[in-house]
Structure formats: C-alpha cells, structure tokens
Amino acid sequence: MKQFYLFLILFSLSAQLFSQAEHKPKEEQKKIKIAGVPYVNYSRTVGFSYGLLGAAFYKLNANDTISPSSSTTVAALYSTSESYIAMGIQQFYFAEDRWRAKISGGVGNGNLQVYQNFYAGGTFIDYSTKVKFLLGEVARRVAPDLYVGLSGGIANARTEFDLDLPFTERRPTIDIPINYVGTFIQSDSRNNVNYPNIGHNIMASFKTAGEWLGNESGFNQLELTYDLYKPLKSGRDIFLARYYSISSFGDVPFVGQNTVGGDNIRGYSEGKYRDDQLYSMQAEYRHNFMPKFGMVFFGGFATVVPEISEIFEHEFLPGIGTGVRYLLLPKEKINIGLDVAVGKDDWSLSFRISDAFSR
C-alpha cells in the first residue's frame, strides 16, 4: 500500500523551484490564489527530475471564516531515469471545518532500486514499478479538534525486477491490485494547516487490504503520527517534534513494505533500508530571519524492522540537515524552499513547495 505513494514522496513532497501567477481581476484575486511551480530536482535514485506543478487555494464559502482554504493541486513530472507521474489532489474544508475530504488519483512509473544481502555481500537491484491509483478519505468533526473518518483506495502496481534468472528469459514481475478500506481518528489543534506555530496534530489510521477486496494477498497497515508545534520568539520561530510509524503486517507484498526516506527522515534517497515496519522520530526548528525568508534545521532517526519485537536488534539510522524557505503565498502561508540532508552513507537534496508535515 505504501510503495505506490513513493512517487508522491519523491516528487510532490520534494523538489520545486518557483514562479507565481495570479488571476488579474481584483475580485478574483480575493477569491482564489494560484501558484505555478516549475519543478527541478535531483535524486541519487531517479536522477534529475523536471516538470510542472500547479496549486489553487480558495474558500468554498466566502462567509466561512473558520474552515482552512480548500486546494486543488495538479502535477506532471518526469526524470532522466524515465520515471514519471501525472496526478491530481483535491482537498476540501467546509461547513466551518466540520467536514474535511480529500481525493487523489494518477498514474506513474518509478525506476528505483532495492538493496539485497547475498552470501557474497549486499548489492542494489534495479526495479520498475508502474502504478495507477485513486484514493479518497472523508472526516467529520465529532468534538472540538477531534475528527473521525473513513478512507479507501483502488490501485494496481506492476513491479519488474532487473534480474536475469537461469532457465528463463523473463524477469521476475509482480503485478497485483492494491485495494483497501480504512478508518482514522485525528486530534488537530493546529492554528493553521499550512504553517502552524502552535498546537498538535495526532492521527491514528488503520487500513485493511484483504483478499475480499480483490487483492491477491491480505495484509493490514497501522499508521501513527504525532506532531507537536511550539512557538518561539513571540511566535516568529517554531519548534516541531514528530513521531511517525507505519506498520504493515500479515501477508505483506513487496509494494506494502516501507522505506527510510522522504519527510519522515530526510537524508536518505537510495532506498537501501526497507522492511515491513518503519519507526521514526524527528525535530525541526524553523527560524524566520526576515518577513519572507527563513531557514529550517532538522534532525532525527529511523529504523525499519520486520516486526516491532525486533526493534532493538536493528540499527537506528540518523538524519540531519538544513534548508531555506521563501514565503510564496503570504495569505495561505505557503513556503517554497530547498532542503539538504545527510544520513548514514547517504544524502538527499529536495526542492519543495510547502513545509514538511503540512495539510
């Protein structure tokens, strides 16, 4: 389930250079904010990436002063490794933030790598995963700052490994559907979903991808997130602490495994560390030294294990880095920027639109 999100992690939550375009009529400027972002990035796994990303932010009801702005995001990206993705994300906040909904869909191909240990030593094996997906979720506020919701998705992932097996000319291929339904509970006291400086965001999500949904094998996934935001220097600077874990259990397929990297522990881009369960902790300091310019400093660690009982038998992988930010849309508090980070025998470089752990 998590593997076909890898493209969103590699692309949508990283790499953007920027430009901005807005509707010219003054009335439309008040109703909608549009950002057009040329995409340029480099990854040790997918090489140079480039493309376009566009986002629009608007109120569904002009009289609703409580709901955050809804947003529409589209992206079309391509890399020198012939990886690509075309996707759209629609986020709704409405009825004075009593209801929240999100739907995303797209197609993509990721030419990536997985690390395997053999008797003669470890090595990377190239693989290609083609995906098409449609995902959705809806949540209802049932108490102050407390939401409960349902989620679901349909997808197909076809993974082909760059291996030549004896006695056959065909390469190993996994072609499976990944359909799931789930539920989640969220406690969200953030004062802004794009750039909070106070509050918390706590979420527990459970998804099941059983055979009764048309999957070839049945497995489940539990995802836990705890984000805590503390204002510093009269709210101008922010300290963020995060705990994140995602655990796949049951008859977990290759695409249901989890990889160290992305926002949950920056500094890893090779995809070397991979298993059924991932656990991470991270802290970030956001320093705004000018009205529209800032820096971030972050560090943490993560580990991947086949099951939680083995968590202290595997190494904890450190990641540390820094980044710069520019305030692109002041009213929506949308930043763009660049992060650079180092991990154990690895590093990552990410141009990005919006900050880590937002929306």
Side-chain angles (χ1 to χ4, degrees), residues 2 21 39 83 153 161 163 168 187 203 231 254 262-263 268 302 332 355:
K2 198 66 179 178
Y39 175 102
S83 299
F161 297 90
L163 281 175
T168 179
S187 176
M203 179 176 286
F254 178 79
D263 275 353
Y268 294 87
E332 301 298 337
D355 285 87

Side-chain angles (χ1 to χ4, degrees), residues 24-333:
K24 293 182 179 180
K26 292 183 178 180
E27 292 184 0
E28 290 186 334
Q29 286 184 1
K30 296 178 181 179
K31 295 179 180 179
I32 186 170
K33 294 291 182 179
I34 299 177
V37 183
Y39 175 102
V40 178
N41 192 40
Y42 176 77
S43 165
R44 298 177 71 185
T45 304
V46 300
F48 283 98
S49 303
Y50 47 90
L52 294 172
L53 185 147
F57 300 88
Y58 47 87
K59 291 282 189 178
L60 293 179
N61 184 345
N63 297 320
D64 184 351
T65 60
I66 297 176
S67 296
S69 294
S70 297
S71 62
T72 303
T73 303
V74 293
L77 311 170
Y78 188 80
S79 80
T80 53
S81 68
E82 298 183 351
S83 299
Y84 64 84
I85 186 168
M87 60 170 293
I89 303 173
Q90 178 64 59
Q91 182 99 48
F92 292 113
Y93 298 89
F94 53 98
E96 296 184 334
D97 207 18
R98 290 192 300 272
W99 287 93
R100 296 178 173 184
K102 183 178 181 180
I103 186 169
S104 59
V107 296
N109 177 64
N111 293 311
L112 307 169
Q113 59 185 13
V114 60
Y115 189 80
Q116 291 291 315
N117 283 308
F118 299 102
Y119 292 110
T123 186
F124 282 101
I125 297 173
D126 293 335
Y127 71 91
S128 175
T129 296
K130 293 183 178 180
V131 297
K132 48 187 177 181
F133 59 92
L134 180 64
L135 318 173
E137 62 182 47
V138 61
R140 175 69 161 89
R141 192 176 71 215
V142 296
D145 302 330
L146 185 65
Y147 296 81
V148 294
L150 299 173
S151 64
I154 55 175
N156 182 269
R158 187 180 191 276
T159 302
E160 181 178 301
F161 297 90
D162 188 10
L163 281 175
D164 294 322
L165 298 180
F167 313 114
T168 179
E169 296 182 356
R170 299 183 63 184
R171 292 181 173 180
T173 301
I174 304 172
D175 191 352
I176 61 172
I178 311 171
N179 307 317
Y180 73 89
V181 294
T183 185
F184 61 91
I185 184 170
Q186 179 183 20
S187 176
D188 185 1
S189 66
R190 296 172 296 174
N191 61 339
N192 187 286
V193 296
N194 295 324
Y195 194 80
N197 63 5
I198 192 170
H200 66 259
N201 182 36
I202 305 170
M203 179 176 286
S205 170
F206 177 80
K207 299 182 178 76
T208 181
E211 295 182 38
W212 58 280
L213 290 169
N215 300 302
E216 292 186 2
S217 61
F219 72 104
N220 302 309
Q221 198 172 76
L222 177 64
E223 191 171 6
L224 302 174
T225 304
Y226 182 96
D227 294 334
L228 180 65
Y229 300 86
K230 290 290 186 181
L232 301 172
K233 296 184 179 179
S234 301
R236 189 177 74 244
D237 289 1
I238 304 164
F239 174 79
L240 163 65
R242 156 168 276 223
Y243 166 82
Y244 176 81
S245 66
I246 181 167
S247 304
S248 300
F249 47 94
D251 189 3
V252 183
F254 178 79
V255 290
Q257 293 181 324
N258 305 288
T259 305
V260 173
D263 275 353
N264 292 304
I265 185 70
R266 285 161 279 186
Y268 294 87
S269 61
E270 286 189 316
K272 181 176 181 179
Y273 303 99
R274 177 192 188 98
D275 218 315
D276 290 353
Q277 301 183 11
L278 180 147
Y279 300 89
S280 69
M281 296 187 71
Q282 191 174 173
E284 181 170 302
Y285 180 73
R286 299 174 178 176
H287 171 55
N288 297 295
F289 56 87
M290 293 180 66
K292 286 196 172 186
F293 290 92
M295 295 190 68
V296 298
F297 307 90
F298 51 86
F301 59 87
T303 188
V304 283
V305 296
E307 55 186 38
I308 193 171
S309 61
E310 300 182 25
I311 192 169
F312 295 110
E313 300 175 15
H314 291 69
E315 61 182 329
F316 286 85
L317 304 166
I320 188 170
T322 186
V324 294
R325 297 289 186 269
Y326 173 77
L327 184 59
L328 178 65
L329 296 178
K331 185 177 180 180
E332 301 298 337
K333 296 186 177 181

